[in-house]
Amino acid sequence: MIMRFTERARRRTVALTLAAGLALGTAGCGGGGEDDKKPDTSASASKGRGSAPSAQEGKSEAPLAELKGKDGLLLQITSAQRDSGGFLTVNGQFKNDGSGSLTIPAELRGDETEILKHGTSLGGATLVDSKGKKRYYVLRDTDGRPLTTTGLTTIESGQTIPVFIQFPTPPESATDVTLQIPTFSSGTIKISG
């Protein structure tokens, strides 16, 4: 008798939970409102993040800036976005416009001892806020690794390699900043978000 009562109660709880979930799901779908006419532009920024940049898949917009390196190596900046955690993530790609294979310069990692221990990266990059008269350095994790794309080695002619760099976010008043990377020309980029 007690066993049957417990089993019935459990079934009712499961049925109520399912019904509530379906009701919430249906309500979330909406219907006929103005919002239904707008295209869905949201995307998960953390999807498959790891050490890779958030890809600008399907976009062929002109880069925010193009920094020129040696022998036809370019760094095209595609976005610079603030997030709620206090970070500014700069996304872009290396592009080899040269005629042969190029080695990514080791100087990109800068000359700080802590960053040098972790191999080739973009750890030497800085952001300059001219209005606020501040320079921002690449963020690091608790082990001293720079929060950038790492393990850069070579790039073939015509190839592109996606990259990212994270900095502390400048104040909201700073909308245009200068990105400086060793061995590359500097470029001004516009911050969004």
Side-chain angles (χ1 to χ4, degrees):
M1 176 94 171
I2 293 176
M3 192 174 209
R4 274 193 221 159
F5 177 74
T6 307
E7 192 173 318
R8 277 190 218 142
R10 190 177 305 138
R11 284 184 189 153
R12 285 183 188 145
T13 303
V14 169
L16 279 172
T17 304
L18 285 173
L22 288 172
L24 286 173
T26 304
C29 290
E34 237 181 85
D35 290 333
D36 291 344
K37 297 174 187 169
K38 295 178 185 174
D40 183 14
T41 57
S42 64
S44 174
S46 62
K47 182 182 176 186
R49 186 82 181 209
S51 185
S54 60
Q56 300 293 320
E57 294 176 38
K59 291 190 178 182
S60 59
E61 297 174 8
L64 296 177
E66 190 169 85
L67 285 61
K68 295 184 179 184
K70 297 177 184 174
D71 303 320
L73 185 60
L74 301 174
L75 177 56
Q76 298 171 326
I77 304 302
T78 55
S79 70
Q81 185 130 13
R82 288 183 175 93
D83 69 21
S84 59
F87 303 116
L88 174 73
T89 302
V90 176
N91 289 300
Q93 64 182 8
F94 277 121
K95 182 178 181 186
N96 182 350
D97 259 0
S99 58
S101 178
L102 295 174
T103 301
I104 304 290
E107 295 89 355
L108 296 178
R109 64 186 176 182
D111 58 5
E112 291 184 45
T113 308
E114 192 66 31
I115 290 179
L116 290 174
K117 292 192 288 187
H118 300 288
T120 306
S121 70
L122 296 165
T126 58
L127 272 184
V128 178
D129 172 12
S130 299
K131 283 184 179 176
K133 298 181 180 176
K134 289 194 174 188
R135 179 182 299 265
Y136 298 88
Y137 293 89
V138 173
L139 291 169
R140 300 178 204 175
D141 68 12
T142 55
D143 293 325
R145 285 186 292 267
L147 298 182
T148 75
T149 304
T150 58
L152 302 166
T153 55
T154 58
I155 182 169
E156 300 302 321
S157 178
Q159 184 184 10
T160 59
I161 299 174
V163 294
F164 80 98
I165 315 165
Q166 287 190 319
F167 297 97
T169 191
E172 293 290 328
S173 59
T175 55
D176 294 323
V177 291
T178 303
L179 178 63
Q180 298 176 334
I181 298 179
T183 75
F184 280 79
S185 61
S186 55
T188 301
I189 56 177
K190 185 169 282 299
I191 299 173
S192 60

